[in-house]
Amino acid sequence: MVGIATSSYLSNWIWGLALLAAGVILTALLYRWPRWQTAGIWFCFFALGLTLGARRQQQLEITWPEEAIEQEVVVVEEPQLKERWVVADVLTTNRQKLKLRIRRDEDSERIALGDGLRVWAYINKVHEWQNGRFDYRRYMQCHAFSGEAFVSQGHWQWAAVSLKKLSAFERLRLRFLLWRHALLEHYRQWGISDDAYGIVAAMTLGDKSHIDKDIRAVYQQVGASHVLALSGLHLMIIYGVIMLLVGWRRISTVAQIATVLAIWAFAFLTGLSPSMVRSASMITLYALLSLGYREKMSVNTLAFIAIIMLLVNPLALYDIGFQLSFSAVLAIVLVNPLLYGQIPLHVLQRHQWLNKLWGLTTVSLSAQIGTAPLVAYYFGYFATWFLLSNYIVIPLATAVLYLAITLLAVCWWPWAVSCVATTLSAVTTFMNRLLQWVATLPYCSIDGISLSLLQVFLLYIMIVSVYVAISLRFPATHRNG
């Protein structure tokens, strides 16, 4: 991570590769001095991050022609309708990802996911722009954009673009996104109310483009935005449903492989966000480790997944979703056992309702501890009623997911579809109303927080120090005794 963070200062990634080669040779020569060899291994990982980060940035730094050029592109995300523009994420036939802003009219409003277009425009490098802590150029790099363009009216047309020019991964991802688009259309046809549609689409299929801006603000204000970003909660529910279906065969290798394939199919269906990839990877390891009865959830597991994701896309380190997702899970893995163990285990075993309530409380507190400094840094607020919000939103969000799965299961039966869709709309609307009530409580959110990067680091140092002190004071053997 340190290597990736400092890679922007490297003029050419070849220099990083040279450092990595030198580090590997030096580490091999230090086999008689284990401590120095350990330092050499650390240096090799630093040089690897430096090389990968610099190489990825240089791949995105494309010099486009100064004149308008013709490009054949494929729309790879749902287009967004703005006041004057239709914003579309596209892939060119040479696999460069661009953000197009096409002048809005009757024709451009019909542009849809998977459409082929031929455009004539000036393609520019991603421009520098910051709003508070939001760095537009860094955001575009995280999502692999190498350029952007404004397309005037009449400077584009429909085109039959062969998808064979895209990679197999891109074609597969596009196919799943088209299936998601079809499911979203079915949501409309099945009678989900307008008030509930945006939340249901976000919580079940990862499409947050239909959420009303006022409802989105409420979820942010009360600290419930995490349920709108598909993550471990959603995948564990799906994992539990699959395990329920396979029954006693869940320990078999075939059942675990089928479960993993289903989990990754859902991850593709929802767009492969960083939090979803992290969750799917962890469940994959969870399933594989369960075959060998090994420890399924640990810091090593989380670190291994982070390394794999950064090897694939080094600039994901700068993605806010990546940072929040891993900080939340890391805090749950480390802090949750400390908090959960404050009530004796035999008491929790005797009172199942207390066990579930206390478990929800400690997980919510742990995740908040892990993410609060980052949320304050990027968004400038702290939700004081987050615990009450989680008491409301976690059970109801779970019900929404189960109802959505039921809706898909009975889609062939019109009467059942109508009943389930009505119930799903009612539960979602009820959840929205409760969160709107929480937002009216006094001191619901502390706004206007401005933290520097140094202050964020100091806050995490304080959190780690308190964690270590409590761990030494209340070791695990005493908590569970």
Side-chain angles (χ1 to χ4, degrees):
M1 290 182 179
V2 175
I4 294 171
T6 56
S7 63
S8 58
Y9 299 102
L10 197 66
S11 59
N12 195 310
W13 67 273
I14 297 298
W15 292 107
L17 186 62
L19 284 176
L20 177 60
V24 170
I25 295 172
L26 183 61
T27 302
L29 295 176
L30 293 173
Y31 67 95
R32 293 185 178 179
W33 298 275
R35 293 184 179 179
W36 285 105
Q37 191 175 51
T38 300
I41 293 173
W42 278 79
F43 177 80
C44 288
F45 272 95
F46 167 78
L48 178 62
L50 194 68
T51 303
L52 293 175
R55 182 173 181 271
R56 186 58 178 159
Q57 291 184 66
Q58 290 176 28
Q59 286 177 335
L60 298 175
E61 289 291 334
I62 295 178
T63 302
W64 296 96
E66 296 183 359
E67 66 276 1
I69 59 174
E70 177 183 321
Q71 286 281 346
E72 288 190 343
V73 300
V74 178
V75 180
V76 294
E77 296 287 351
E78 292 283 353
Q80 303 297 312
L81 298 180
K82 303 298 182 180
E83 183 179 355
R84 299 173 56 193
W85 305 96
V86 175
V87 182
D89 298 346
V90 301
L91 275 177
T92 67
T93 52
N94 57 352
R95 302 180 188 176
Q96 296 297 327
K97 191 174 182 181
L98 305 175
K99 185 172 286 291
L100 299 184
R101 292 173 175 84
I102 304 172
R103 177 66 70 177
R104 184 172 176 176
D105 56 25
E106 291 183 0
D107 288 333
S108 60
E109 288 178 356
R110 294 189 290 110
I111 296 175
L113 176 71
D115 284 346
L117 306 175
R118 182 177 293 109
V119 300
W120 293 267
Y122 293 91
I123 300 178
N124 304 305
K125 291 183 178 180
V126 177
H127 68 278
E128 299 277 357
W129 180 73
Q130 286 190 321
N131 182 15
R133 301 298 182 186
F134 177 72
D135 188 329
Y136 176 73
R137 186 170 182 271
R138 184 68 74 185
Y139 167 83
M140 295 286 279
Q141 287 182 333
C142 291
H143 294 83
F145 287 96
S146 59
E148 55 186 357
F150 290 88
V151 183
S152 304
Q153 189 174 17
H155 285 71
W156 69 276
Q157 65 183 33
W158 311 102
V161 180
S162 174
L163 297 182
K164 293 182 179 179
K165 297 179 181 179
L166 305 182
S167 67
F169 173 82
E170 290 160 348
R171 293 198 301 271
L172 179 64
R173 182 177 179 274
L174 182 59
R175 173 56 57 188
F176 274 96
L177 289 178
L178 288 170
W179 288 339
R180 181 179 76 169
H181 180 80
L183 282 174
L184 290 172
E185 291 297 321
H186 283 304
Y187 277 174
R188 295 285 194 188
Q189 297 170 8
W190 290 335
I192 296 178
S193 66
D194 293 337
D195 291 340
Y197 176 78
I199 298 298
V200 172
M203 291 180 55
T204 60
L205 294 174
D207 184 2
K208 294 187 284 187
S209 61
H210 303 282
I211 302 177
D212 182 80
K213 63 178 181 179
D214 293 330
I215 291 295
R216 187 192 296 268
V218 167
Y219 274 75
Q220 178 177 309
Q221 186 178 3
V222 302
S225 297
H226 57 90
V227 300
L228 301 179
L230 293 180
S231 59
L233 170 67
H234 309 77
L235 279 187
M236 284 307 295
I237 290 173
I238 295 174
Y239 181 80
V241 170
I242 297 173
M243 287 292 98
L244 184 64
L245 294 175
V246 299
W248 62 270
R249 295 179 295 275
R250 68 184 64 182
I251 61 174
S252 70
T253 302
V254 174
Q256 293 292 355
I257 292 175
T259 301
V260 168
L261 291 176
I263 290 296
W264 278 104
F266 181 73
F268 270 91
L269 191 66
T270 57
L272 290 177
S273 66
S275 59
M276 182 57 71
V277 172
R278 189 268 307 160
S279 301
S281 301
M282 292 199 73
I283 291 179
T284 300
L285 284 180
Y286 183 94
L288 296 178
L289 292 174
S290 65
L291 297 176
Y293 303 97
R294 301 289 300 275
E295 183 183 7
K296 304 178 184 68
M297 189 70 69
S298 67
V299 176
N300 285 339
T301 303
L302 187 64
F304 174 75
I305 293 169
I307 290 172
I308 296 300
M309 289 182 65
L310 292 176
L311 285 174
V312 175
N313 180 17
L315 300 184
L317 178 65
Y318 297 104
D319 186 85
I320 298 175
F322 177 93
Q323 296 174 14
L324 291 175
S325 177
F326 276 92
S327 60
V329 177
L330 180 61
I332 290 172
V333 171
L334 294 178
V335 179
N336 185 60
L338 289 176
L339 299 177
Y340 186 79
Q342 299 310 305
I343 296 180
L345 189 59
H346 65 273
V347 175
L348 296 174
Q349 290 175 338
R350 284 202 307 265
H351 306 283
Q352 288 301 313
W353 63 270
L354 178 61
N355 184 22
K356 293 181 180 179
L357 181 63
W358 184 238
L360 176 58
T361 302
T362 58
V363 168
S364 300
L365 285 172
S366 301
Q368 190 72 13
I369 289 171
T371 59
L374 284 174
V375 171
Y377 175 73
Y378 284 116
F379 305 109
Y381 77 95
F382 176 77
T384 55
W385 291 100
F386 70 90
L387 200 54
L388 175 59
S389 300
N390 281 328
Y391 288 148
I392 295 171
V393 79
I394 298 300
L396 292 177
T398 303
V400 168
L401 288 170
Y402 277 120
L403 285 169
I405 294 172
T406 305
L407 185 61
L408 293 176
V410 300
C411 62
W412 52 273
W413 188 4
W415 179 84
V417 166
S418 177
C419 292
V420 175
T422 301
T423 305
L424 177 58
S425 299
V427 171
T428 306
T429 303
F430 179 62
M431 179 173 63
N432 291 343
R433 297 294 180 266
L434 285 178
L435 293 180
Q436 287 173 332
W437 169 75
V438 174
T440 63
L441 295 177
Y443 307 107
C444 177
S445 177
I446 301 174
D447 301 316
I449 300 175
S450 180
L451 296 179
S452 67
L453 195 58
L454 176 60
Q455 289 172 322
V456 173
F457 280 119
L458 290 176
L459 282 173
Y460 276 114
I461 290 173
M462 290 174 58
I463 292 171
V464 171
S465 301
V466 172
Y467 166 77
V468 172
I470 295 177
S471 299
L472 295 176
R473 179 65 180 84
F474 302 101
T477 54
H478 294 281
R479 295 196 312 272
N480 298 327

